[in-house]
Amino acid sequence: QKQQHVDYVHRSVNSTYATVTGMSAKHKASRGKKSKSRDKGVWTDCMGLPLTCSGKGAAVDEYNKTLQSFIRLKSDVLTHADRACALDPSLLLAHCFLGCLWLSALKASTDPLVARHVEAAKKGSRGATERERSHVKALLAYSLNNLPRATEEWTSILIDHPRDLLAAGMLFGSYITLGEFVKMRNFLSALLPHWSEEMELYPFLLGFYSFALEETEFRVRAEETGMKALSMNPGSVWAYHAICHVMEEERDPEHGISFLSSSRKHWSKTGLVSHLIWHMALYHIDTGDIDRVLQVYDTELAPKLSSENLTCLVDASSLLWRLNVMGLEVGEERWKKVTDAFSKHVGKHCLSWNDTHLMMSLAHGKVCESTARLALAEEMLKTFTEYSESNVSTDCKIAEKVKIILCATMYKASFA
């Protein structure tokens, strides 16, 4: 009955989406056509959408490589985006992309890496298309810590341009940050009919969708969709993530270990590598093979630890904390490497999810007042409380309602 319900929801959303926007015929007619960088004198992106730029083909090519890497979650995305801006400073959407990318990496709006792209986007919006101006509005909202407002702009873009890769990728990532998984599922369900299986990036959109299905508890459909995506392109990294969640939730760790081990070459150089390694370690916890858990941690996760790699720091804290909760001693040296890297972020609050994992790295185990971590933990709790009360970001409400309580509890358990 649940599966029938979601099928009904998908059909209803798709029908409503096409009816309200009146765009179905327009986009279906252009499905599967290979886009060129220049069409009848107008420069376009790899999905055929017009670009405001000075007409330098090399810059447009780099921007298209940026979009491809963004959707594929490849590590060279920043390189291509920087090149696009350097080759053509007037390429408006390259600035929008880089501004959003650095904000999603938790850089403050005042950080030069963000500020220069925000200013360039403002200046470049004059004479830009309506779609591009909406991207600028989304960037400005994001830079003012109003991520929900930014999602409204990206949603508006996708209503008229359902193949806008920048809007689709940013909306997908933002809904993860906001925990809005029903909205994620619905917007992807609405986009898919306006794509074609012949499109090169279709399996990656399908991977997004499989994760949205899993996060809204449609596990059978999620696994089927993820497997379809991987059969079309084994590089669809979000499909791996979705299927990993299904196997963990269905308590199938042996299958999960086999699945990730056999596909390693396809995800080991993507932005999800440390998190998929984390999933591998969880499967070994489920089988009771703690020696293998620590081996995976020491050889695959720990070498990636860096103060700049927040995803890895979150995964490392989460894994070691789980082992501590199970009553297992992982050793102070393992924790110290995480704490040393993570503690550089004390007082720099942007995302309470990360802050909570930072407190894990500070408050692990039972410690006495002489412990060096005490001062850092106190500073962390003080500044985090101030942040939650400041209302400078939509994340502050999450911090106030949930994360502060968790951090205070961890602090009291270890330092009281």
Side-chain angles (χ1 to χ4, degrees), residues 140-161:
L140 294 177
Y142 199 177
S143 71
L144 294 173
N145 299 308
N146 192 344
L147 189 54
R149 180 69 188 90
T151 65
E152 292 174 6
E153 289 295 339
W154 290 316
T155 299
S156 176
I157 292 168
L158 289 168
I159 288 174
D160 292 323
H161 307 281

Side-chain angles (χ1 to χ4, degrees), residues 160-212:
D160 292 323
H161 307 281
R163 293 179 299 171
D164 188 308
L165 296 178
L166 177 53
M170 288 307 306
L171 192 55
F172 175 75
S174 297
Y175 280 152
I176 291 175
T177 299
L178 296 170
E180 297 277 10
F181 294 107
V182 172
K183 288 183 179 180
M184 177 196 288
R185 184 194 67 205
N186 289 346
F187 103 80
L188 289 166
S189 177
L191 293 192
L192 282 166
H194 302 285
W195 286 51
S196 163
E197 292 191 8
E198 289 72 38
M199 290 179 176
E200 182 181 357
L201 294 178
Y202 182 85
F204 297 88
L205 189 71
L206 209 58
F208 287 0
Y209 187 45
S210 66
F211 185 71

